[in-house]
Amino acid sequence: MPWKDTTIMEQKIEFICEWRTGKYSISELCKRFVISRPTAYKNISRFEEDGYEGLRELSRKPRGIHPNATNEKVVNRILKLKENHKLWGAKKIWKLLYSDFPGDAMLTVLIVHNILKKHGLVKPQKRLRRVKPITTGLSVCCNGIVNSKRAHKIKTELKLCAKMFRILNSLIQTFNLLHIPLY
């Protein structure tokens, strides 16, 4: 509804005055005031019903309850549960409500949380700052500190040595059983 530079109310009044003179057609007035024909007819009907007061801007606030609003009975139950169990959060309350009202308006944990928050029953949690671990690039091995890139290689070599030691130990025991000298 693009009106000219003066205030919208003044332009609506001027439009109605021009219309009441009967000198211009609706189409001519719409071109002159740069508005659409439905807007012109809407303003004329409002003027005819309520006079100049009908030309004021109407509130855009919804008239009734939102169609997706949570049932008052459910909201009261949420608040009652929170009152009885002060340490419970939205998840625990939702679990109880889900069994009480199984098919009622697709109740979710987020809806329960928002209702509690709206009524001032949610305390914001302190967020723990994550601290990055300090790494020096070194790791400890059995024989002291070594470079972390070499640590994996050393560990695999140690495993191989341990395996070879077990095999050698079993061979020595076998030779001892057979009473064969090793030299």
Side-chain angles (χ1 to χ4, degrees):
M1 190 163 76
W3 296 88
K4 294 181 185 174
D5 292 337
T6 58
T7 65
I8 294 173
M9 185 64 181
E10 289 174 3
Q11 291 204 350
K12 287 181 181 180
I13 292 171
E14 187 181 344
F15 172 80
I16 292 297
C17 290
E18 293 290 330
W19 171 74
R20 289 181 75 193
T21 62
K23 295 180 184 175
Y24 306 102
S25 69
I26 296 290
S27 298
E28 291 171 335
L29 288 172
C30 289
K31 286 179 187 173
R32 182 171 168 211
F33 286 92
V34 194
I35 60 171
S36 66
R37 289 173 61 97
T39 302
Y41 286 117
K42 178 179 73 172
N43 287 326
I44 290 169
S45 68
R46 284 186 184 170
F47 173 75
E48 288 175 343
E49 288 177 17
D50 300 324
Y52 287 107
E53 285 299 314
L55 298 177
R56 291 192 185 278
E57 283 291 316
L58 299 177
S59 172
R60 299 184 190 283
K61 182 181 173 185
R63 290 190 180 100
I65 300 172
H66 193 277
N68 295 337
T70 307
N71 188 346
E72 275 301 311
K73 185 170 66 172
V74 177
V75 173
N76 291 335
R77 179 80 171 122
I78 290 170
L79 297 176
K80 187 108 176 152
L81 282 171
K82 183 64 176 178
E83 184 180 314
N84 293 340
H85 308 282
K86 299 205 183 293
L87 298 178
W88 283 12
K91 284 183 185 177
K92 282 188 180 180
I93 292 173
W94 174 79
K95 284 184 181 176
L96 283 179
L97 287 174
Y98 191 74
S99 60
D100 291 349
F101 304 99
D104 199 15
M106 301 296 285
L107 197 62
T108 63
V109 176
L110 183 61
I111 291 172
V112 173
H113 174 78
N114 287 340
I115 291 169
L116 292 173
K117 187 175 180 181
K118 180 180 175 184
H119 290 86
L121 299 173
V122 175
K123 294 178 186 173
Q125 290 183 341
K126 283 188 175 180
R127 307 244 11 197
L128 296 175
R129 293 192 64 196
R130 188 170 183 169
V131 180
K132 291 184 179 179
I134 300 171
T135 57
T136 59
L138 300 175
S139 66
V140 177
C141 191
C142 59
N143 61 349
I145 298 175
V146 294
N147 191 333
S148 63
K149 292 179 181 177
R150 293 183 53 219
H152 179 69
K153 186 177 179 182
I154 291 172
K155 286 179 185 177
T156 53
E157 287 175 0
L158 286 173
K159 286 180 185 177
L160 184 62
C161 289
K163 188 175 183 180
M164 289 173 58
F165 178 76
R166 283 193 302 272
I167 293 170
L168 187 58
N169 194 21
S170 66
L171 283 173
I172 291 172
Q173 288 177 1
T174 307
F175 281 117
N176 285 340
L177 288 175
L178 297 174
H179 301 292
I180 302 172
L182 293 174
Y183 25 88

